[in-house]
Amino acid sequence: MSDETHTTERDGVAATWFIDSGVIRVVSVQHQDGTTIQRPGAPSLGECFGLMPRTLWDRIRYEYESPGYETWPRSIASESPRPDERDIHLSVRLHDARMDFAACFTAALVFMQDWQTHHGPDAVAIVPGDAAGLPRLPNERLYLEP
């Protein structure tokens, strides 16, 4: 069990969590209205899917899977290579895994063409809505030109 607890916030909702033998355990979820949800035994992140916004759930998973992310240069962690373009929410499928990313408009279109060519037409989709809080598309800069 990890002695270190983490707090992650998205969309005004915060979750406190820790790692136990490779499993993300959620201690509590605090909502904007002050409501705090605590479940006995610190359930796994998967068991807490309905207790928090999807953006928060994804961010916790991202923080766990990206050790040291908080020390990355800001441009790698959160900034678009084209800040003048709107960010797009991409949902990417690889085998049975679904991953969600933010990408600038240009990179999203080029990535979609490439990914669909190699993995099929249903392997990536644009999700309507805000892409804030999502991790950036890995190697996004490589998709700025066809």
Side-chain angles (χ1 to χ4, degrees):
M1 182 166 127
S2 171
D3 294 336
E4 186 178 352
T5 59
H6 306 269
T7 300
T8 303
E9 187 271 332
R10 284 289 176 268
D11 303 326
V13 180
T16 303
W17 55 279
F18 65 94
I19 305 301
D20 179 21
S21 301
V23 177
I24 301 169
R25 299 281 177 190
V26 178
V27 176
S28 63
V29 178
Q30 300 86 30
H31 290 271
Q32 287 178 336
D33 64 3
T35 305
T36 299
I37 300 171
Q38 289 182 297
R39 297 284 162 97
S44 71
L45 182 63
E47 295 170 305
C48 296
F49 188 77
L51 299 179
M52 62 185 78
R54 175 66 188 258
T55 55
L56 176 57
W57 193 91
D58 284 337
R59 185 63 187 187
I60 293 169
R61 193 184 77 222
Y62 177 72
E63 289 178 13
Y64 168 70
E65 293 172 352
S66 305
Y69 78 95
E70 52 292 281
T71 61
W72 291 354
R74 182 162 162 65
S75 61
I76 293 174
S78 63
E79 289 183 5
S80 172
R82 296 219 174 135
D84 55 318
E85 292 184 6
R86 177 176 170 238
D87 276 345
I88 304 297
H89 178 170
L90 292 174
S91 180
V92 181
R93 287 205 168 276
L94 180 61
H95 306 293
D96 292 333
R98 176 184 164 191
M99 300 163 281
D100 292 282
F101 301 106
C104 67
F105 183 79
T106 300
L109 293 181
V110 174
F111 174 81
M112 284 187 69
Q113 291 173 338
D114 181 67
W115 196 257
Q116 288 174 332
T117 298
H118 294 96
H119 299 281
D122 296 331
V124 64
I126 293 176
V127 178
D130 192 9
L134 292 173
R136 305 288 320 164
L137 179 68
N139 300 312
E140 180 178 8
R141 291 180 187 280
L142 299 177
Y143 297 100
L144 294 179
E145 297 178 16

